[in-house]
Amino acid sequence: MTLVLDNGAYTIKLGLAESEPQVYYNCIGRIKKEVIVAPRSINGVNEVMRPHERGVLVDPGLQSKIFKKVLKGYVCSDLDLVISCPVYTPFTCRKQLDEIVFEEYEFKSEIRVPSGYQSTGIIVDLGFSASTVMPYLDGFPINSAITRVNVGGKLLTNYLKEQISFRQYDMRDETWLVNLVKEKLCSVSSNFMNELKMLQKNKSLERHYVLPEFGDDGHELQPEESKEGKQVLTMGNLSIAVPEVLFRPSDIGLTDAGIGEAIWMAMQAVPSVYWEDLTNILLVGGSANFPNIENRFKDELRAISNDGLTFNFIKPENPSFWNWKSLSKVSEVRKGVTKEEYFEMGSEYIDWKFQYS
Ligand SMILES: Nc1ncnc2c1ncn2[C@@H]1O[C@H](COP(=O)(O)OP(=O)(O)OP(=O)(O)O)[C@@H](O)[C@H]1O
């Protein structure tokens, strides 16, 4: 049997290959005085410590502690493992991850890959701390063309938190709530400047959030609902300005390229004879859930590429779980490195076998 572990910077998605994955937050936090490892909900959790920084595993010791909690109940020595490990993870951390897999948990075999499986096309993973553009040809990633932008869901949540705290309520300690508001109320605009003007002219287009009372999560204010006696957060232009940062990081003073430009940069790193093959682009990862994101990407690429290419942006039904699902398919097409091979040849062999950049 194969256990599939999508080890995201924000959440771990874990489950046997044929089943549905369980989700755990990839962190250690604190609720009042109690320390919580890999919580199932982050409502009220603060002082969060994560093993990843900027999307890269940097603290394998902390990661091992979190694995101990999530792997409870599995007999690891009877299982093959497919685990994700982001591109650009330093070799020492990859090595420590392999040590955890084989020496601490004694899995039978390991497939360690940066992301899921795509035959030909581009995967754009819009994750928590970064967004990664990965071109694939015939099932293999083109490592030299992989492009990463340090813009992801975490940055968007922090930006929203800062803006709300500056304009309305002090929510600097309410990360989980601001994150929830972002996920429920933000959407990608088709034409940012036009929609900004419309929002300024027509206040009825603004979206509002009723802040939590009595331990609930709060909810979006409905058109017929009265604001009386409720603490209401007005999003104003933030409902479109926050996801806009994915396309224009310079709006908030960052020097990173927008993700549309990053896709075009990744394509240019591949010989132009393959461009036609790379026009099928899959949008995955939690931040791909923003409504209308696929249409906006299509317009962006049409404007940037000017090469008569027609792009086809596909958003799977559940972008957050796509990576886990594709990892579970990897085990059908590739064979893992066994424990014996690892002890004989080490992490270098795993890197070689799975063509790590
Ligand atoms: N419906 C939604 N709308 C907007 N953003 C969302 C939505 N659902 C999840 N997200 C955001 O997606 C981000 C997490 O994405 P994902 O689950 O792909 O991360 P991860 O795989 O754990 O991390 P990474 O890919 O960076 O290693 C969070 O910032 C979360 O707020």
Side-chain angles (χ1 to χ4, degrees), residues 207-340:
R207 299 179 79 173
H208 308 270
Y209 197 81
V210 179
L211 295 176
E213 267 184 326
F214 316 116
D216 64 358
D217 286 350
H219 60 273
E220 181 173 6
L221 187 82
Q222 298 306 309
E224 68 286 353
E225 196 181 342
S226 152
K227 288 185 184 175
E228 198 107 334
K230 294 169 187 156
Q231 263 203 319
V232 175
L233 173 71
T234 299
M235 289 293 278
N237 60 23
L238 290 174
S239 56
I240 55 167
V242 169
E244 188 64 20
V245 173
L246 292 171
F247 301 93
R248 307 267 172 273
S250 56
D251 284 0
I252 59 164
L254 300 176
T255 51
D256 287 81
I259 298 163
E261 289 165 79
I263 297 174
W264 185 232
M265 276 154 60
M267 284 185 75
Q268 283 181 314
V270 177
S272 55
V273 283
Y274 296 118
W275 286 0
E276 258 330 312
D277 298 332
L278 295 177
T279 50
N280 282 329
I281 303 181
L282 203 57
L283 298 173
V284 305
S287 302
N289 282 294
F290 283 120
N292 197 37
I293 195 163
E294 62 277 38
N295 297 328
R296 175 62 185 276
F297 266 121
K298 206 168 179 176
D299 293 345
E300 285 275 311
L301 262 294
R302 196 182 300 135
I304 300 172
S305 69
N306 68 37
D307 261 287
L309 296 167
T310 309
F311 291 92
N312 185 20
F313 281 89
I314 307 149
K315 181 156 106 172
E317 204 182 322
N318 191 341
S320 305
F321 287 135
W322 186 88
N323 262 331
W324 185 89
K325 292 215 160 106
S326 71
L327 284 171
S328 68
K329 282 191 206 132
V330 170
S331 62
E332 293 166 15
V333 291
R334 295 200 195 164
K335 228 175 142 283
V337 170
T338 62
K339 195 160 53 181
E340 293 71 31

Side-chain angles (χ1 to χ4, degrees), residues 3 62 103 122 159 213 235 242:
L3 185 68
L62 186 60
E103 296 174 32
I122 294 181
Y159 175 56
E213 267 184 326
M235 289 293 278
V242 169

Side-chain angles (χ1 to χ4, degrees), residues 8-11 13 127-129 153-154 179 182-183 285-287 289-290:
Y10 185 57
T11 52
K13 293 100 183 165
F128 177 60
S129 32
K154 182 183 177 188
N179 195 54
K182 177 196 78 175
E183 290 176 7
S287 302
N289 282 294
F290 283 120

Side-chain angles (χ1 to χ4, degrees), residues 6-13 23-26 50 52 54-56 84 86 125-132 148 152-157 178-187 243 246 284-291 318-321 323:
D6 179 10
N7 192 26
Y10 185 57
T11 52
I12 291 176
K13 293 100 183 165
V23 179
Y24 303 87
Y25 287 91
N26 199 357
R50 299 179 198 278
H52 289 78
R54 294 182 169 234
V56 170
S84 69
D125 187 353
L126 303 161
F128 177 60
S129 32
S131 299
T132 317
R148 214 186 96 117
K154 182 183 177 188
L155 182 98
L156 303 189
T157 302
V178 175
N179 195 54
L180 195 69
V181 172
K182 177 196 78 175
E183 290 176 7
K184 288 194 172 167
L185 263 59
C186 290
S187 58
L246 292 171
V284 305
S287 302
N289 282 294
F290 283 120
N318 191 341
S320 305
F321 287 135
N323 262 331

Side-chain angles (χ1 to χ4, degrees), residues 153-202:
K154 182 183 177 188
L155 182 98
L156 303 189
T157 302
N158 285 341
Y159 175 56
L160 180 59
K161 194 164 66 175
E162 189 188 294
Q163 291 298 313
I164 293 171
S165 301
F166 180 66
R167 297 180 190 189
Q168 285 178 67
Y169 298 110
D170 184 356
M171 295 181 84
R172 283 173 297 178
D173 292 332
E174 303 281 1
T175 308
W176 77 268
L177 177 59
V178 175
N179 195 54
L180 195 69
V181 172
K182 177 196 78 175
E183 290 176 7
K184 288 194 172 167
L185 263 59
C186 290
S187 58
V188 172
S189 60
S190 296
N191 183 325
F192 184 61
M193 291 318 281
N194 274 357
E195 289 186 28
L196 208 58
K197 279 185 202 148
M198 272 158 60
L199 271 169
Q200 269 164 0
K201 272 194 208 145
N202 187 352

